[in-house]
Amino acid sequence: MTFYEISRKMLRANFKRYRIYFFCNLFAAALFYCFASILTNASFRNGRIVNSLISGNIYFPSILAALFLVFFLPVSGQVFLASRKQEYGILFSLGMSRKEAFWNMFLENVLVAILALVAALAAGTVLSVLFFAVIQYGIGIEGLHWKLNPEPYKITIVLYTVVIGLTFVLNAGSLLRERIGVLIKMQYRSEKKGLLYRFLYRFSPAYMKRHMAEWSFLRRHKKEWGIRYLFAALIAACSVMLVSVCVTMYPAFLRDAKSYAPYDMVYSEIYGMNIVPEETVAEILKENGVTIKQSIQIPYIRSTNFNFFPVEEINQYFQCDYQIEEGQFLNLFQYDLQDGYEHDLSEIPKISYGENEELHSVGSDVRILWNQNPTFADRTLIVSHSDFEKMKEDAEYWTGVAHLFLFEHWEDSYDGVCAVNKYLRNKNEVDETEAYYFNATSKIESYSDARKSGQFLIFLMAFVIGLMLTAEFLLIHFRIQAEEEENGRAVCSLQLIGMTEQEIMKCLKYKNTLRFIPPILLGAVLAFLPSYYLNGTYGAGGKGILTGAVFGIVIAAVEWIFLERYSQKEFQAMRSD
């Protein structure tokens, strides 16, 4: 019998291990493809179809999905290889060369990788269609359509191939460097008592003596378990942190939508567009059940980069007390500094207009006075009435009028705003591309976009968190699977010295409790500071910590409840073997 035939027999005999490795590859690649398909979708990236507030939420989960693939595949590959080290030790002892072992491992990994990638792309395609269905029909983001696109397939194939290749080179190199005796005895090596064991035995000797049998399962493979505990705790910490961020950001989105839209509807009359009687607008709103409580018309001038508003109107309509003399201007930054974003508050020191006219800054103010609108420039400057009148004569400036409305009930104004925009488009006689820039903006649309953005973020994060917790569970579970044969021998030994099945079950549950629960609790603790600082930008640092702590405790409690059933299955598998 050749080494090739022997290795194929070993493959069939250990098909369960290959199956687990196959599903790990499929799981990670399919997850990444789902996010890549959304990220590369043209309609999703079109700001006129999907608000940038919504589409911007895809980047962070996509990075997490990529990192998940980059880190999870090497770990699963290392676990798979660790379970086969003894087999290769036997083959080496029978005369297999390192070169033959390398090519044997290479062919096995190529076969599993190709099958897993094909299955992952198929599963990811189906899953991405479901993603788009939830986003479009569940969350209500209209105009978004799934389309077969080669780009996400290419990205997934390239990233997957690079990660699998590096994983194989590292794992194969570590195995081929090991001595034959070390590989054969890998599962039988005894280890010295670890630091934690010595610490507990010193400070609680009575407790440790009562659990000597349980700790016999926990003292093996300290290095491998230490690495897994660390990775599992980091994954749990990321999950806890994401939950705390979602709980804080959703209400923050809604709050920001209101703070950045103090008026219920705003449109601008400029460039010869939107020149309509305000009575007509009021009639359209009334026909759609919207009652105007207050309306304001403010003249303004804009250049390529600046809006210029006269100080008298600003003080009159917005209860401000700005003192601006001729030749001066005030930088107005319409930001909410508690919205969690960084803002550029650098002042413009001076501007020039006309032939020799200059205006100099008298400082700045941060205050939201009216809604954002596509016809407004990015920066707003407040000038004196005399300078404003001079600027109106400058041919390089455009003169306009901002129309601001307050309604009786803004929550019911969606149909009215849509009707006004339809009327403005027909009146302006422009195509859809230009019509966007002259639309009326409204609080109800801002609030609706913020709500959809928050729901989209929660949907993505819930998916990512669920997969990360699954990965955390599998990281521990696969290591326990790799030790099944070894632990089975320990169980047989305990039965030979007279332990009952109930006592052995108690040992296994104790062992599994200390395998699964500590990483979750440690992850919750590690997430405290990141959760505090991330949520602190929204003024909710304490809420973030509390949310993360509760989530960590709940997940640990859920795992503890299922450990009884998990331990029973483990014991049954040992007995069947």
Side-chain angles (χ1 to χ4, degrees), residues 72 146 253 255 305 308 313 375 412 454 540 556:
F72 186 67
W146 183 87
F253 283 165
R255 184 195 68 207
N305 300 313
F308 299 93
E313 279 80 357
T375 55
D412 303 321

Side-chain angles (χ1 to χ4, degrees), residues 267-276 300 375 399-401 403 424-431 434-435 437-439:
Y267 72 88
S268 178
E269 177 185 328
I270 196 169
Y271 307 129
M273 300 295 178
N274 292 346
I275 303 176
V276 297
Y300 77 100
T375 55
T399 302
V401 178
H403 295 262
L424 292 177
R425 284 196 296 272
N426 294 334
K427 183 70 175 178
N428 294 330
E429 297 181 350
V430 294
D431 58 29
E434 290 185 82
Y437 295 101
F438 301 104
N439 275 348

Side-chain angles (χ1 to χ4, degrees), residues 30 33-34 37 119-131 146 148 153:
Y33 172 83
C34 288
S37 67
L121 294 177
T125 301
V126 174
L127 195 57
S128 67
V129 174
L130 297 177
F131 258 47
W146 183 87
L148 189 63
Y153 292 100

